[in-house]
Amino acid sequence: MGLLMKCTFLTSCLFVGWSVTIVKCSTYPPEVRGDGALNAPSPPLDSESPALQARSLGFFYSLSLSSTFPDDLEVNEYCIEMLHVFGQRYVAYANCLVSYARPIKICQNCYTGFNSLVEIYTNISSDQLGPGNVSCHDSLMRSDRLMLLYTLFIKLDEIWTIAGCKQCLNENQDTLSNDTIYFMASLNLSLTCFEKFQGNHSELCKDCKLSYKRLNELYGKMEENQTLCIDIEDAMNMTRRLWSKNFGCSVPREETVPVIAVSCFMLFLPIIFYLSSFLHSEQKKRKLIHPNRAKSSSSLMNIQDKFS
Amino acid sequence: MANIAKKVSWSGRGDDRGERTPLLNGAEEVKYNNRQISGGSIFHIGRLSTVDLEEEITPEEDIVRSRPKEIPHNEKLLSLKYESLDYDNSENQLFLEEERRMSHMGFGCLEIKRWVICGLIGFLTGLIACFIDIVVENLAGFKYFLVKQNIVKFTEVGGLSISLILWAVLNSAFVMVGAIIVAFIEPIAAGSGIPQIKCYLNGVKVPRVVRLKTLVVKVLGVIFSVAGGLAVGKEGPMIHSGAVVAAGVSQGRSTSLKKDFKMFEYFRRDTEKRDFVSAGAAAGVSAAFGAPVGGVLFSLEEGASFWNQMLTWRIFFASMISTFTLNFFLSIYHKKPGELSSPGLINFGRFDSDIVEYNLYEIPLFIIMGALGGLLGALFNVLNYWLTIFRIRYVHRPCLQVMESMLVAAVTATVSFAMIYFSNDCQPLGPDHNEEYPLQLFCSDGEYNSMATAFFNTPERSVRSLFHNPPGTYNPLTLGVFTLVYFFLAVWTYGLTVSAGVFIPSLLIGAAWGRLFGILLSFIASSQSIWADPGKYALIGAAAQLGGIVRMTLSLTVIMVEATGNVTYGFPIMLVLMTAKIVGDYFAEGLYDIHIKLQSVPFLHWEAPHTSHWLTAREVMSSPVTCFNQVDKVGTIVDVLSNTSTNHNGFPVVVHSTGSDEPGKLCGLILRSQLIVLLKHKVFVERASSRLTQRKLQLKDFRDAYPRFPPIQSIHVSQDERECMMDLTEFMNPTPYTVPQETSLPRVFKLFRALGLRHLVVIDSENMVVGLVSRKDLARYHLGKHGLEELHLAQT
């Protein structure tokens, strides 16, 4: 296919698609088009047409390449539009993720972005025919081995799934669930309490215990119901660390003496048991039995003689 | 132990040779023996003299001579209560007739029946394994849930000693139930059962070992002892359970339930039954470890003397069915019906391919670990040996045994609790919750106590977490303390009167120090990433420790490979087990062998002891032999059989040339069981002539009485009948195996081991009976530290 393809490629590049590309170029920003056209850069093109190199190289690339295909392989205008929208939403969502990475609050803040991204992706990947009876699914997603749209989307979707954000949103995934809001409220309650007693840890441990404990219980309940997402887990983790490490409010090891006493008592029992059974129990004796070996005496003697 | 230490030789020569009887003595010994023999009749006492007495010589010493001598139990005894199995087929006339009557089809049917039985064995064994697994999981889950709740409650408000007591009491309660049923109902069900099955496959009839009652007690006992938190596993007992199932199914009836299904009657003899029992043992191993091939090899390793290829294939079938059944029912239990990939009772989990890899330079490390395993295993065995001797001597009453078990359970809980309480090793909770019952105690919120994953768990789960938890889950101190404590707990626990196995505790100890080894390695060479994963070393350590304790070779390698589900480790595991065996054997015997010895079982090893070629059948045999005539008086037979002092089982049948005193010419061999059946059916010469209508005795009558032949006392023989005659010609085995007097011990031994004989008649050149060699005559020779030694027969 190599040689023939190249020939068609060159000819169409030079003569046919010129004017069409100009039009397209003015309609769409170049980076979107670049996505579609990147798969066929051709070095011979550059060397054989030095005159064209004089223009802006990247611009020309995209122009000429996308314009070279025959009509039936051409990416439909509607699809290019979709692609554009996808790009914008993608960037917006990724931006949101990054800006809420630490302390992690992605579920609370990025769900709208994610929802719109999912929407456009579902549109693209559905088999529904758009205007002009074309399906963007094939042309945008399955034309090359990279399957860029799919890979890009799947990665972000994976992040969303691992984070478990679905559990923190309501059924339609359009607002935060009541549980989450309630948890955030009680978290704030604890945190304000922590702030109030900043500097006096023993006081803090005593006074904030109630709200902290309630928060902990709430968390435990949500864990059982599997309504946790990364935001809540992280917030709880941080609070716990504050509570245990920074403020040192863990339970202290206090009753060492009773535990040691009971343990010693328990360990003492077997010693008594074995001693008493050794002293009082009757030792088991075995009765020896002498088998009949009428000739064994003489034969044994014979052997002794043999060896001596 | 004081009594062992205080040895005063009765003969006053002050030697310290313990209770052994030298066969080959030095010059001094010869003189000594000659002196004794010159005394003529007092030779027996001379023989006795090498057996040390416990006490100082007392004036009553003379009385001692006249009554049977008593010594404390030790491992150098052979018990009279064990008998051989009749593996050798008695080719008497009845047998030949039956064979003639049977058509070609009949034999085909038998073959099919054998396959059906093997399938059933596998199925039932799998079911039992499934039952044990589910019940243990639930009971232990309930217990840990209760204790955990209690601990959580008391961590905050104080009073953790109450949790400790609760845990100890729960443990003791479970173990008490388990110990009571074992100690009072069926003591043979104690322990792992592997030594017993080993003996059975070796050809020793261990009383009550394959009964239904034993099975029930075994299964319940295992459940309670594992749920009771002892340092035990449920795998060893599975092997015993499989064997009992096999023995029961193949007979088509239960003598305990007095129910006869009239099936599989042809298989009612020792020869056939033992084949099935080996299949059952294999099915048990296969269910326990998910290792069908390992199961077959286990049977092969333990019962290798009587084997044929067809049997191997059938046993493999039984093993596979057993694994399949277990998987199938567990998949239903776990609500994923049809998913058949979960392995056996112990689930070691799968080793991922990226941590599986090992490198050439790790091989020496593995060998070092093997040697370490051998050393620790030998230590384990020696400690357990002393403990077991003490138990046999002093803790022999059932109520004491129950108390001991309960104490061990309580102490196990106490020690575990103390370990957890004082441990400072806190680890963050993982996202996927490997820990079944995470305990927080004094750790920060969101963390759990790392010691608790090892102690506050069934041993099996602990093994799994040691294998698979990611690096950094345990800190070295935790592992070190855990290994030490668990080692002693396991030593203490094995040999209690509860039914429980030693596989899992061994694996757990090994996995703990193996993981520790791995962690230390990665400290030394932090750059090498291949040493970073301690799970691999945990596996190798587990193999080394187990090999060092039980000393199984081929089957254990395959079991480990199959249980972990990858062949990549085959070579290291084999190396490790070899090293462990070599190093361990240098110091002490395998645990099962020690227990077999302590049970005074006449066990025949693979070969006769070395340096025994100079012993001939003449020295080995028992003599004189009680013989019967071809046609003998009923009275004589009854008298011989009911003589309690001579508990003979096989009687050579002879023809006297001229009614003289000298022993007659050998013409056959008849067994006690056969004689009893004959007496029961009153097959007397006089009767036969008077009652022609009487049905002729068939082989079936012998099979119906099997395996519990009534004792001679229960058979009533009137004074008239005593005068009758009995013709044994038809029933005796006309061609028993015989050897000349000069045959060496190893030759006799080989015959016994290879053919599974019970009696071997020793004849002279005239075909006159001079003696009879039985299993106990052979088993008493063994190679001790001072050369060939002889064991004593004793009543136990």
Side-chain angles (χ1 to χ4, degrees), chain B residues 244 284 400 443 615 666 688 742 761:
Chain B
V244 182
L400 280 182
C443 290
L615 273 170
L666 178 72
E742 309 307 325
V761 186

PDB file of all heavy atoms in Angstrom, chain B residues 244 284 400 443 615 666 688 742 761:
ATOM      1  N   VAL B 244     -11.459 -42.407  57.209  1.00  0.00           N
ATOM      2  CA  VAL B 244     -12.610 -43.062  57.840  1.00  0.00           C
ATOM      3  C   VAL B 244     -13.762 -43.167  56.848  1.00  0.00           C
ATOM      4  O   VAL B 244     -14.415 -44.210  56.747  1.00  0.00           O
ATOM      5  CB  VAL B 244     -13.068 -42.289  59.090  1.00  0.00           C
ATOM      6  CG1 VAL B 244     -14.214 -43.005  59.741  1.00  0.00           C
ATOM      7  CG2 VAL B 244     -11.935 -42.137  60.057  1.00  0.00           C
ATOM      8  N   GLY B 284      -8.563 -36.704  51.449  1.00  0.00           N
ATOM      9  CA  GLY B 284      -8.487 -35.779  52.577  1.00  0.00           C
ATOM     10  C   GLY B 284      -7.435 -34.713  52.356  1.00  0.00           C
ATOM     11  O   GLY B 284      -7.691 -33.528  52.528  1.00  0.00           O
ATOM     12  N   LEU B 400      -8.108 -35.036  83.669  1.00  0.00           N
ATOM     13  CA  LEU B 400      -6.883 -34.230  83.673  1.00  0.00           C
ATOM     14  C   LEU B 400      -6.577 -33.722  82.271  1.00  0.00           C
ATOM     15  O   LEU B 400      -6.157 -32.576  82.079  1.00  0.00           O
ATOM     16  CB  LEU B 400      -5.705 -35.071  84.167  1.00  0.00           C
ATOM     17  CG  LEU B 400      -5.575 -35.252  85.675  1.00  0.00           C
ATOM     18  CD1 LEU B 400      -4.351 -36.058  85.998  1.00  0.00           C
ATOM     19  CD2 LEU B 400      -5.498 -33.892  86.339  1.00  0.00           C
ATOM     20  N   CYS B 443      -3.855   2.352  69.369  1.00  0.00           N
ATOM     21  CA  CYS B 443      -3.325   2.997  68.180  1.00  0.00           C
ATOM     22  C   CYS B 443      -4.130   4.261  67.904  1.00  0.00           C
ATOM     23  O   CYS B 443      -5.234   4.431  68.417  1.00  0.00           O
ATOM     24  CB  CYS B 443      -3.435   2.073  66.989  1.00  0.00           C
ATOM     25  SG  CYS B 443      -2.307   0.698  67.089  1.00  0.00           S
ATOM     26  N   LEU B 615      21.756 -60.856  61.672  1.00  0.00           N
ATOM     27  CA  LEU B 615      20.633 -61.468  62.374  1.00  0.00           C
ATOM     28  C   LEU B 615      19.891 -62.370  61.405  1.00  0.00           C
ATOM     29  O   LEU B 615      19.590 -61.973  60.285  1.00  0.00           O
ATOM     30  CB  LEU B 615      19.690 -60.386  62.866  1.00  0.00           C
ATOM     31  CG  LEU B 615      20.002 -59.772  64.225  1.00  0.00           C
ATOM     32  CD1 LEU B 615      19.124 -58.569  64.434  1.00  0.00           C
ATOM     33  CD2 LEU B 615      19.769 -60.794  65.312  1.00  0.00           C
ATOM     34  N   LEU B 666       4.781 -78.515  57.794  1.00  0.00           N
ATOM     35  CA  LEU B 666       3.853 -77.420  57.539  1.00  0.00           C
ATOM     36  C   LEU B 666       2.961 -77.739  56.347  1.00  0.00           C
ATOM     37  O   LEU B 666       3.443 -78.193  55.311  1.00  0.00           O
ATOM     38  CB  LEU B 666       4.640 -76.141  57.236  1.00  0.00           C
ATOM     39  CG  LEU B 666       3.813 -74.928  56.904  1.00  0.00           C
ATOM     40  CD1 LEU B 666       3.129 -74.396  58.134  1.00  0.00           C
ATOM     41  CD2 LEU B 666       4.667 -73.863  56.276  1.00  0.00           C
ATOM     42  N   ALA B 688     -21.119 -82.351  60.173  1.00  0.00           N
ATOM     43  CA  ALA B 688     -21.230 -82.400  58.722  1.00  0.00           C
ATOM     44  C   ALA B 688     -21.832 -83.712  58.281  1.00  0.00           C
ATOM     45  O   ALA B 688     -22.670 -83.757  57.375  1.00  0.00           O
ATOM     46  CB  ALA B 688     -19.855 -82.204  58.104  1.00  0.00           C
ATOM     47  N   GLU B 742      17.921 -69.705  58.075  1.00  0.00           N
ATOM     48  CA  GLU B 742      19.135 -68.902  57.936  1.00  0.00           C
ATOM     49  C   GLU B 742      18.908 -67.586  57.206  1.00  0.00           C
ATOM     50  O   GLU B 742      19.836 -66.827  56.973  1.00  0.00           O
ATOM     51  CB  GLU B 742      20.218 -69.692  57.182  1.00  0.00           C
ATOM     52  CG  GLU B 742      20.482 -71.077  57.733  1.00  0.00           C
ATOM     53  CD  GLU B 742      20.774 -71.050  59.227  1.00  0.00           C
ATOM     54  OE1 GLU B 742      21.407 -70.080  59.682  1.00  0.00           O
ATOM     55  OE2 GLU B 742      20.330 -71.971  59.938  1.00  0.00           O
ATOM     56  N   VAL B 761       6.181 -68.067  58.278  1.00  0.00           N
ATOM     57  CA  VAL B 761       6.550 -69.289  58.978  1.00  0.00           C
ATOM     58  C   VAL B 761       8.021 -69.599  58.692  1.00  0.00           C
ATOM     59  O   VAL B 761       8.458 -69.528  57.550  1.00  0.00           O
ATOM     60  CB  VAL B 761       5.670 -70.462  58.516  1.00  0.00           C
ATOM     61  CG1 VAL B 761       5.954 -71.690  59.359  1.00  0.00           C
ATOM     62  CG2 VAL B 761       4.215 -70.083  58.602  1.00  0.00           C
TER      63      VAL B 761
END
